Amino acid sequence: YKDPHFRGDRNTIVHLFEWKWDDIASECENFLQHKGYAGVQVSPPNENLIIEGRPWWERYQPVSYLLITRSGNESSFKNMAKRCNAVGVRIYVDAVINHMSAENGIGTAGSVANATYKYFPGVPYGPNDFNEPCEITNYDDNVNARNCELVGLKDLDQGKQYVRDKIVEFMNHLIDLGVAGFRMDAARHIWPPNLKEIYSRLKNLNTQYGFPESARPFIYQEVSNMDRDYANLGTLVEFKYGRSLSNVFRGNDKLKWLVNWGPGWGLLDGLDAVAFIDNHDTQREQNGQSLTYKSAKQYKMAIAFMLAHPYGTTRIMSSYAFTDSNKGPPADNKGNIISPGFNSDDTCTNGWICEHRWREIYDMVEFRNVVAGTSIENWWSNDDQQIAFCRGNKGFIVFTNWGDVERDLQTCLPPGIYCDVISGKLVGGNCTGKSVTVKRDGKAFIKLGALEFNGMLAIHAKSKA
Ligand code: LAG
Ligand code: CA
C-alpha cells in the first residue's frame, strides 16, 4: 500500500482541487505528461450534499456512492482515468468514508439525505449503520475521536460488516475504473483494524490500465498526529513537513539547519510519508503556518526545496483564487464549475491559480525526475541563510533567503555550460535565463541575488547547453 505505482521516473501528485473530470483528462494529455507529473489527486467523486452557496466543503458531506458530482458523472470519470493512464498519469481518489452528511437535503445525484434520522437511501444506509451520536471534543482521545461526530458529520460504524461491505464495494468500483490509490479522508477518525480489513479486501489495480499484476492500491491517510497504527497500514500525509519548511522559508529559521531535513526534524520516515507544503485545508487556516500561492516567492522556494530533496512522495496543491475560505470553485450562476482557461505562458485564467503550471514549479518536477535515485552530496551553507547541494552528479541547486550568493560552489556536474531552469530554460542550445559554467573540477561561479525574482538557481543533466 506504500507504492504509488508511478510510471518510470515520474514523480509528484498534483491535487487538482475541484477540477472537472473532462478538464483533468485534457490536462493529463496536454500538460501533465509532458512536464513529468506522475499523478493527480481528484476531489471526492461520489455524490455529496448540495449546500447553499456551493462551498467547496460540501464535497466532504457524502450522500451516496454514486459517481455524480459537480466534477462529472461516472462515464466522464471513467474516460478521465482511461485517458490519464494512457499517457502514464495516475489517478488518486479522495475517499470520504468516515461519515455521511451532517444536514438533511438532496445530493448531487438527486438522492435524499435524511441526516436527522440517518437514512441515506442512495447507499442505502440506515440508523443502525452509524455510531451513537456524540460530538468530537478531544482529538487525542481515540474513542472520542473515532466514535463521535466530526463537526456534526454523521459517523459511520465501520465496525459493522455491512458498512465495510459498502465501502469496499465503492472503492473496488473505482479500482475497476482505473484508479491507482486513495487519499483516506479523516483516517484518524476511523479505527485502524477496520481500515486494515477494508484495505485487505480491495482488489489489485486494474491491469487493463497498465498496472503490473498484483499491484496493491496506494494508500495515503489523513492523520494529523503521527501514529504507528496507521503507518503500518499505508502511508500518511506528513503535516509537519509543510509547516516546518514554511517556517524556514518565511525566515523564522535558518536554511543551514535543513542539513538534516527528514526524520532529524521529527518527520516520519520518507517511505511512509506524502510530503506537501500546503493542502486545501491548511491554505485556508486563519494565521496558517503553511506558505501558499499568496506568498509566491517564498512558496516557490519551499516547493523547489521539497522537489530537490529526496524525502517522501511529493504532492503539489493546485488551487483557485479565494479570499473567503468557504468559497467554492469558479462557477456560473447555475452552479456549474467553470473550466480553467490557459494563457500563452501556461498559466491559468477564469479564477484558477494552477500552481502546477507555474514554470519554476514544473521545472523542478523535471529536476526531480532527472535526479531520481541519487542522494544529496556536497551540502554547502554559508552558516546562515544560504545553502546549496548536489543530487549525485545529475543536479545542483542553490537557495538564498538572505544576502547575495557570489562565489564558486561545487556542482558535482561534468564540465560544460548549463542553463538555470529557474530564471529560464534551454532553448535550441541557448539559455533564455542565466547560464552556469561548470569547470573541470566541477566548480562553478554562482550569482544569486537575495532580491531577485526567485530565491533559487538550479541546473541538471538535461539543462546542459
Ligand atoms: C478532512 N480531512 O480529514 C478534509 O480534508 C476536510 O476538508 C473536511 O472538512 C474533513 N476532513 C471532513 O471530511 C471540511 C471542512 C469543514 C466542513 C466539512 C464538511 O473543512 O469546515 O464542515 O468539510 O463539509 C462544515 C462546516 C461545519 C459544520 C459541518 C457540518 O464548516 O461548521 O459543522 O459542515 O454541517
Ligand atoms: Ca468515525
Side-chain angles (χ1 to χ4, degrees), residues 49 51 55-62 94 96 98-99 101-103 150-153 183-189 222-223 239 279-281 284 326:
L49 191 69
I51 292 176
W56 61 271
W57 42 263
E58 69 171 39
R59 297 190 72 163
Y60 293 90
Q61 302 218 13
D94 195 344
V96 186
N98 173 61
H99 53 260
S101 75
E103 311 290 338
L150 174 64
V151 297
L153 297 156
R183 167 205 185 255
M184 300 305 298
D185 182 75
R188 194 265 169 276
H189 303 285
E222 199 80 358
V223 174
F239 280 96
N279 73 7
H280 68 281
D281 291 323
R284 286 176 173 74
N326 292 311

Side-chain angles (χ1 to χ4, degrees), residues 56 284 294 320 322-328:
W56 61 271
R284 286 176 173 74
K294 296 181 185 189
Y320 53 82
F322 69 91
T323 42
D324 172 0
S325 66
N326 292 311
K327 184 187 173 286

Side-chain angles (χ1 to χ4, degrees), residues 98 131 145-148 155-156 158 189-190:
N98 173 61
N131 287 316
R146 291 170 179 162
N147 288 349
C148 293
D155 202 51
L156 285 165
Q158 293 86 2
H189 303 285
I190 306 173

Side-chain angles (χ1 to χ4, degrees), residues 171-383:
M171 293 174 75
N172 276 336
H173 182 198
L174 292 162
I175 290 174
D176 289 340
L177 296 176
V179 310
F182 302 93
R183 167 205 185 255
M184 300 305 298
D185 182 75
R188 194 265 169 276
H189 303 285
I190 306 173
W191 290 96
N194 295 336
L195 284 175
K196 186 176 183 186
E197 208 240 22
I198 290 169
Y199 301 158
S200 72
R201 290 173 56 201
L202 297 178
K203 296 183 178 181
N204 291 334
L205 299 181
N206 191 338
T207 52
Q208 280 175 15
Y209 292 92
F211 294 105
E213 294 284 339
S214 329
R216 301 303 291 152
F218 180 52
I219 298 283
Y220 55 112
Q221 305 164 101
E222 199 80 358
V223 174
S224 45
N225 53 344
M226 299 193 295
D227 190 328
R228 270 328 301 176
D229 291 344
Y230 293 98
N232 290 337
L233 304 178
T235 66
L236 308 186
V237 299
E238 176 49 286
F239 280 96
K240 218 185 260 174
Y241 189 100
R243 292 192 175 126
S244 301
L245 206 53
S246 294
N247 195 44
V248 173
F249 283 99
R250 280 211 162 96
N252 301 329
D253 210 335
K254 292 190 175 183
L255 294 198
K256 70 164 182 173
W257 300 121
L258 292 173
V259 62
N260 66 341
W261 181 243
W265 278 64
L267 303 181
L268 290 160
D269 186 296
L271 295 173
D272 289 334
V274 169
F276 63 102
I277 303 301
D278 61 330
N279 73 7
H280 68 281
D281 291 323
T282 66
Q283 70 174 183
R284 286 176 173 74
E285 284 166 3
Q286 297 301 317
N287 307 314
Q289 290 171 272
S290 299
L291 286 163
T292 71
Y293 75 88
K294 296 181 185 189
S295 318
K297 182 173 179 181
Q298 264 32 66
Y299 184 61
K300 286 184 287 181
M301 288 172 79
I303 292 202
F305 182 84
M306 172 175 85
L307 293 173
H309 194 284
Y311 182 95
T313 296
T314 47
R315 180 178 64 183
I316 300 278
M317 177 70 201
S318 187
S319 319
Y320 53 82
F322 69 91
T323 42
D324 172 0
S325 66
N326 292 311
K327 184 187 173 286
D332 66 20
N333 53 22
K334 288 185 187 128
N336 299 311
I337 297 177
I338 298 169
S339 301
F342 306 110
N343 296 311
S344 58
D345 68 352
D346 286 333
T347 57
C348 289
T349 60
N350 297 346
W352 298 90
I353 302 291
C354 297
E355 294 89 325
H356 72 288
R357 281 175 163 262
W358 293 6
R359 192 174 44 77
E360 300 88 337
I361 294 179
Y362 65 69
D363 281 343
M364 286 306 299
V365 170
E366 185 183 21
F367 180 102
R368 194 175 185 82
N369 287 340
V370 172
V371 305
T374 66
S375 49
I376 292 181
E377 322 260 348
N378 283 75
W379 178 275
W380 169 85
S381 86
N382 69 339
D383 206 26

